[in-house]
Amino acid sequence: MTAVPVAFIQVTDVARITPHMVRISFAGEGLDAFPTWPDQQLKLLFPRPGQSAPRLPEASAGGDAMRWYQAYLALPEDERPWMRSYTVRSYDPQRHWLTVDFVLHGAAGPDGPAGAPESGPATRWAAAAAVGDTLARYGPSADYARPLPTASADWLLLAGDETALPAIGSLVESLPPGIRALACIEVDGAADEQTFTTRADLTVHWVHRDGAPPGGGEALPAAVRALSFPAGAPFVWLAGEAGTVRTLRRHLVAQRGLDKRQIDFTGYWRRRLSQDDAPTEEDLAEARERVEAARTGRG
C-alpha cells in the first residue's frame, strides 16, 4: 500500500445545511493535488480539551502508515486526538478545499443543548466549529477507492441513514447518464431531506423517524422491504448503523435472492458504542467478509 498522508487542515467555511447536518470546508497542506473519487473515506483527528490543534506523532515514522499509527497509539491517552471516519462530500479544485458533512446527533443537534454528555467529541466539535479552527486528516488513500460497477449492473440501490448521506450524494452525483438508481435514505424528518444534482435516472425515497432515535429501528428496513425492484440485476450499496446494515443485507440475500457479491456494505456506527470501543463479534465477522470481498473482487 502507498503511504497515507497526514496533515493539518483549517476550517474555511461553515454552513448549517439542515437541522441535523453542518457542512464544513477545509484548506491545508497537500490539498492542491488532492485525489478524488466518489464515496471517498478519510479519518479526521480532533483536538482534546485545551488544545488548539490535535497533537500528532513526530514525523519520524517516515511516511509509513503502520508506523505512524503505532506512534499515534503511543501518545498519552489524555493528549491523543480522537480519530473518526468521514466521507469527503466534495472537493473544489480551484480553491483546493475539501468539504465534509457532519451529522449533529445527540444533544448537539437542534433538540438539545450543545456539549451535553451524549454528544461525542466529533459532534461537539462540529456544532461549535468556526473559520480558522484546526483539525488533522489521515488519508485518504487511493488503495481504498472502489467505484460502483455501473457497467455490470442493470440498476443500483443505495440505502442508509443520514450518516450515509454524504457518500450517497457523492455517488449519485458521479453517475453517468442512463443509469437507473433508487436511493432509500432515513433521516429525522422532512427538514433533513437534501437535493442531489445527477445525470442518472434517480428516484429517492425519504424515510422519516419523526423524533425516534436513530439506529436499530425498523423504519429503513421496512421501507426497503416495501420497495418494488426494477427488472434486471442490481448492485446494492448499504451504509449506516451497523445493526441496520446487517438487517438490510440479510433481507436482500434471503428474501430478494441477491448474491452477496452484489452488495457493498459498511457499518459506519454502532448504537451505544463509539469507534473507540472494541469491536463486537458481529463487527469482526463483517470486517472479515469485507476483506474477502476486496480480495476476490465484487463479482
Side-chain angles (χ1 to χ4, degrees):
M1 290 188 177
T2 58
V4 177
V6 180
F8 288 109
I9 52 177
Q10 290 76 42
V11 174
T12 54
D13 189 65
V14 180
R16 181 72 67 92
I17 59 172
T18 68
H20 291 90
M21 188 166 287
V22 60
R23 179 165 291 170
I24 302 179
S25 297
F26 300 90
E29 181 184 353
L31 297 185
D32 55 339
F34 192 72
T36 60
W37 58 86
D39 188 17
Q40 182 177 22
Q41 305 297 307
L42 82 165
K43 294 183 182 295
L44 297 177
L45 292 93
F46 297 83
R48 290 278 181 168
Q51 296 176 340
S52 59
R55 179 183 172 185
L56 299 181
E58 299 297 328
S60 58
D64 178 81
M66 184 56 67
R67 289 177 60 196
W68 184 92
Y69 188 63
Q70 291 171 343
Y72 162 80
L73 292 177
L75 292 172
E77 185 175 356
D78 60 348
E79 298 179 19
R80 186 192 313 142
W82 290 289
M83 185 185 295
R84 297 291 185 265
S85 299
Y86 280 91
T87 303
V88 176
R89 181 60 181 86
S90 63
Y91 173 70
D92 184 331
Q94 279 73 48
R95 293 188 290 185
H96 303 151
W97 288 6
L98 68 85
T99 296
V100 177
D101 289 353
F102 294 80
V103 178
L104 301 180
H105 50 74
D111 306 316
E118 61 266 39
S119 299
T123 297
R124 292 195 299 268
W125 180 89
V131 172
D133 288 350
T134 298
L135 294 185
R137 64 179 175 93
Y138 178 93
S141 171
D143 292 322
Y144 300 101
R146 300 180 69 198
L148 292 176
T150 54
S152 59
D154 296 309
W155 59 280
L156 302 174
L157 171 63
L158 304 102
D161 57 28
E162 55 265 75
T163 64
L165 256 176
I168 291 174
S170 70
L171 287 166
V172 301
E173 290 172 2
S174 72
L175 292 176
I179 296 294
R180 185 170 188 183
L182 301 181
C184 199
I185 308 170
E186 177 188 305
V187 294
D188 185 69
D192 292 296
E193 296 180 9
Q194 298 183 22
T195 58
F196 308 115
T197 301
T198 180
R199 298 169 294 169
D201 177 11
L202 173 68
T203 300
V204 180
H205 299 272
W206 292 101
V207 182
H208 298 159
R209 288 192 305 273
D210 295 322
E218 273 297 306
L220 184 59
V224 172
R225 285 193 290 266
L227 287 178
S228 295
F229 281 11
F235 185 82
V236 180
W237 183 97
L238 306 173
E241 195 277 322
T244 301
V245 168
R246 284 190 283 266
T247 297
L248 290 171
R249 187 165 175 258
R250 285 194 293 265
H251 162 70
L252 293 167
V253 172
Q255 278 77 52
R256 299 281 190 166
L258 272 62
D259 189 295
K260 290 182 179 180
R261 292 172 296 180
Q262 293 174 266
I263 305 172
D264 187 2
F265 64 100
T266 308
Y268 281 169
W269 62 285
R270 301 170 293 170
R271 290 190 71 192
R272 295 183 295 273
L273 294 172
S274 77
Q275 292 185 25
D276 298 320
D277 295 307
T280 65
E281 287 301 318
E282 288 184 312
D283 294 330
L284 294 173
E286 175 185 296
R288 287 192 290 269
E289 284 201 52
R290 287 180 57 79
V291 169
E292 179 63 18
R295 186 184 67 83
T296 59
R298 279 175 158 162

